[in-house]
Amino acid sequence: MDRVLLRRDGAAVVATVCAEDGTPGAATVLPAGELPGWVAAREAAGAVRWVWDDTTRWYPALLDAGVRVERCTDLRLSAAVLRRSPYAGPTPAPDPGWAALEPVTAGDPALFDLADPADSLDPLAEHRRQQAAVAASPHRGRLGLLLAAESSGALAAAEMTWAGLPWRADEHGRLLTGLLGDRPPPGLRPPVLERLAGEVRAALRAPDLNPDSPVALLRALQTAGLPVEDTRSWTLERYEHPVVPPLLEYKRLARLLAANGWAWLDAWVRDGRFRPVFLPGGVVTGRWASSGGGALSVPVQVRPAAVADDGWRLVVADVAQLEPRVLAGMSRDAALADAARAADLYAGMVAAGVVATRAEAKLGVLGALYGGTRGESGRMMPRLARRYPRAIGLVEDAARTGERGAVVHTLLGRGSPVPGGAWAQEAADLGEAPEPAGRDTDRARRAWGRFTRNFVVQGTGAEWALCWVADLRNRLWRLGPGEPLHRRPHLVFFLHDEVVVHTPAYLAEEVGEQVRQAAATAGRLLFGDFPLDFPLDVAAVRSWADAG
DNA sequence: GCCCTGGGCGCC
DNA sequence: AAAGGGCGCCCAGGGC
């Protein structure tokens, strides 16, 4: 049964509707404070799907009240998927307010604002429209799975922020002091950086140089005789000059200080938890984005500070080479799936005699996924195309489709954006490959082809990962029944193809098993009985840094 | 003072 | 001949 939640005049209204066609049934009006108890009671009775405008507007308060829900439909996220999906059946245009709706975060003053734009939308009508779009889809199963997975992801994201990743500020502080010296007063460099800046200035004979200024640094490097056009680390590495070692060290430590230094600790770690905001569907391909704290790029350098509570463990799991495996599945390329039978797909390619070394295999596969054709990566392509014609054919088709200005889609039907450049307009007008165009136009066209090439694989990879997380979330809930979410094994972090679960130590092994079973389930959901392995590296550790 | 862009670099 | 996907975030520096 579907229950649609809406907010009217400060009260919560719960409308019961038929799950098949959205026909409305009875409605209940509740003072806002009574909602959590009411939801908890229905949830315990089972078989309910909560339908709401936006998970970020409802779920955090339910979690605060100790209420966890099993299933939901997030109308905002679903509308975004349907808007671009070639699999969506025809429906009247949605209220444009759905496309404009922004997720909210805890500190957001708009959260309980009477002027919240969400309150002028009609969730009942939008729910009916979305049901109709799926019912009329030529791929109901796939599209329905995508919407369900997207909504489950929204629940998982809210729960991860709520629970937080265990983070030891003392450990992090020790690490910073060890590398940078004592914390300086605001506006000053820590001692180690100050010393390195001095060495850089001396080596370049530039006593006033600010090494944080790329423009000034470039000029100083050139004056000192280094023929560089930029100041990137991998450019500098190529030169033997006394400035290079201290400058590279300076850049490494300055980056740590700026991105994950004491200021980061102050801003993002409270009560032993790092609580990043995850944004499901935040990337066009369907990957999650994040907001605040740089959650999607927590450097390996500071992961020693992510430490399980006493008596608990972190179960860290990641998939080896997710994207080439997904490509094998979506193209049903049996030869590539064979290579993927090995725990290391690249080793499997070497064993099959496709390439001579693992390094070649990796270069070739990444080139196929990203559109790299330069140098060694490009030289691998003909061999890969011969041995894996279906897989390579799929990404090549996606590239050509994008170059024509047309739309591609993932396995479950997430559509790519329509290109906006002038070249795309030409292509659309001509309906064909356009006249020979200028160099810039050509470059833009090919860049879009690389984007659509990668879109189909990255996006389907994101769908696999979403199914994995969604299934795992429910499996974890069944371990340790009767406890609140944060006293059971629960997800605390997700990063494209990696999850971290915080669990009582005695359940760590069982959690690892559930992580593997969830991966197998995700594979079956997307690829049916096509034989394809998704091997995981799983580690139960005290600190995140001890995994992998 | 705010806002935007580009360089650079962390993650996948 | 040239041709490498997706993000977020920090800083400097220029425009207002």
Side-chain angles (χ1 to χ4, degrees):
Chain A
M1 176 182 300
D2 286 352
R3 293 183 185 270
V4 184
L5 269 62
L6 20 122
R7 215 182 314 269
R8 291 292 178 265
D9 306 320
V13 180
V14 188
T16 304
V17 301
C18 169
E20 270 65 53
D21 58 12
T23 313
T28 308
V29 180
L30 297 160
E34 289 179 20
L35 183 66
W38 199 88
V39 168
R42 272 51 186 193
E43 189 68 26
V48 55
R49 178 171 61 177
W50 304 97
V51 179
W52 49 45
D53 47 27
D54 169 24
T55 302
T56 68
R57 285 175 162 80
W58 293 92
Y59 201 30
L62 291 174
L63 288 168
D64 283 343
V67 180
R68 181 262 191 194
V69 307
E70 178 102 0
R71 295 202 301 159
C72 83
T73 291
D74 184 305
L75 295 169
R76 175 181 67 87
L77 291 172
S78 298
V81 169
L82 292 172
R83 189 163 64 245
R84 287 220 178 114
S85 178
Y87 285 176
T91 64
D95 183 328
W98 289 100
L101 199 59
E102 299 278 353
V104 298
T105 54
D108 203 327
L111 189 49
F112 297 105
D113 195 337
L114 289 177
D116 186 342
D119 293 344
S120 61
L121 296 171
D122 182 351
L124 280 162
E126 178 60 12
H127 184 44
R128 274 195 303 276
R129 190 191 69 86
Q130 294 188 4
Q131 303 270 87
V134 174
S137 168
H139 296 279
R140 306 169 55 150
R142 290 183 181 186
L143 187 58
L145 174 59
L146 176 54
L147 298 184
E150 191 85 338
S151 293
S152 283
L155 296 175
E159 289 167 7
M160 286 192 286
T161 302
W162 183 80
L165 177 64
W167 202 273
R168 288 275 298 271
D170 56 343
E171 202 67 52
H172 192 146
R174 261 196 294 283
L175 196 149
L176 292 175
T177 308
L179 291 166
L180 298 164
D182 288 334
R183 180 177 192 170
L188 294 182
R189 289 193 177 89
V192 173
L193 274 184
E194 199 51 67
R195 175 174 60 72
L196 288 165
E199 291 178 25
V200 168
R201 292 187 192 109
L204 293 176
R205 299 182 204 288
D208 299 322
L209 174 67
N210 171 12
D212 294 323
S213 164
V215 174
L217 180 59
L218 182 61
R219 210 160 37 226
L221 288 166
Q222 289 170 342
T223 303
L226 281 155
V228 293
E229 294 301 326
D230 60 65
T231 65
R232 294 182 193 125
S233 294
W234 68 267
T235 301
L236 299 169
E237 271 167 14
R238 298 197 296 250
Y239 296 94
E240 291 262 355
H241 186 284
V243 78
V244 172
L247 182 51
L248 290 177
E249 184 69 356
Y250 180 89
K251 280 170 162 284
R252 198 175 67 85
L253 293 176
R255 165 79 193 181
L256 171 66
L257 173 68
N260 297 95
W262 292 282
W264 182 90
L265 265 176
D266 290 346
W268 294 108
V269 178
R270 284 270 180 291
D271 305 323
R273 295 289 186 270
F274 169 39
R275 302 175 195 274
V277 176
F278 294 95
L279 300 171
V283 178
V284 279
T285 59
R287 277 187 173 181
W288 291 12
S290 74
S291 160
L296 271 41
S297 53
V298 178
V300 173
Q301 226 174 0
V302 298
R303 292 187 188 182
V307 178
D309 291 349
D310 286 341
W312 288 57
R313 293 290 181 274
L314 297 176
V315 174
V316 182
D318 71 321
V319 202
Q321 304 122 6
L322 174 60
E323 290 180 354
R325 289 170 199 277
V326 158
L327 175 58
M330 62 195 298
S331 63
R332 303 190 98 71
D333 190 311
L336 188 53
D338 271 344
R341 203 84 63 232
D344 179 2
L345 177 140
Y346 302 133
M349 292 171 63
V350 174
V354 180
V355 289
T357 67
R358 186 179 188 282
E360 284 185 346
K362 187 170 179 176
L363 267 170
V365 166
L366 293 183
L369 298 182
Y370 295 156
T373 48
R374 181 164 43 173
E376 199 155 352
S377 179
R379 281 203 292 284
M380 296 294 131
M381 286 302 288
R383 255 185 287 173
L384 294 194
R386 204 155 48 238
R387 293 299 291 263
Y388 308 120
R390 296 182 67 112
I392 301 301
L394 188 148
V395 287
E396 289 293 328
D397 278 352
R400 301 293 92 81
T401 303
E403 288 171 4
R404 282 203 316 273
V407 162
V408 297
H409 63 84
T410 59
L411 181 71
L412 297 185
R414 195 186 301 266
S416 65
V418 175
W423 66 270
Q425 197 51 56
E426 269 175 54
D429 293 345
L430 294 168
E432 255 314 314
E435 297 298 300
R439 213 157 279 190
D440 285 354
T441 303
D442 239 34
R443 192 173 300 131
R445 190 197 322 283
R446 273 200 257 279
W448 195 261
R450 287 191 296 277
F451 166 63
T452 51
R453 167 197 296 270
N454 186 250
F455 181 96
V456 295
V457 182
Q458 185 183 122
T460 306
E463 286 164 354
W464 182 92
L466 211 44
C467 290
W468 181 40
V469 165
D471 190 50
L472 177 58
R473 172 179 175 270
N474 288 328
R475 289 172 179 275
L476 295 177
W477 182 250
R478 287 178 220 125
L479 303 178
E483 298 280 355
L485 183 65
H486 65 290
R487 304 303 310 166
R488 314 182 185 213
H490 58 279
L491 284 155
V492 289
F493 201 78
F494 169 56
L495 180 55
H496 309 318
D497 60 1
E498 174 174 6
V499 294
V500 180
V501 175
H502 195 208
T503 178
Y506 78 96
L507 286 171
E509 195 161 330
E510 179 61 25
V511 167
E513 180 55 27
Q514 297 299 322
V515 170
R516 292 183 193 283
Q517 290 188 21
T521 301
R524 277 193 302 276
L525 277 172
L526 263 70
F527 307 114
D529 52 12
F530 184 75
L532 187 58
D533 293 335
F534 289 92
L536 304 179
D537 288 321
V538 182
V541 290
R542 294 222 56 225
S543 162
W544 194 3
D546 298 333

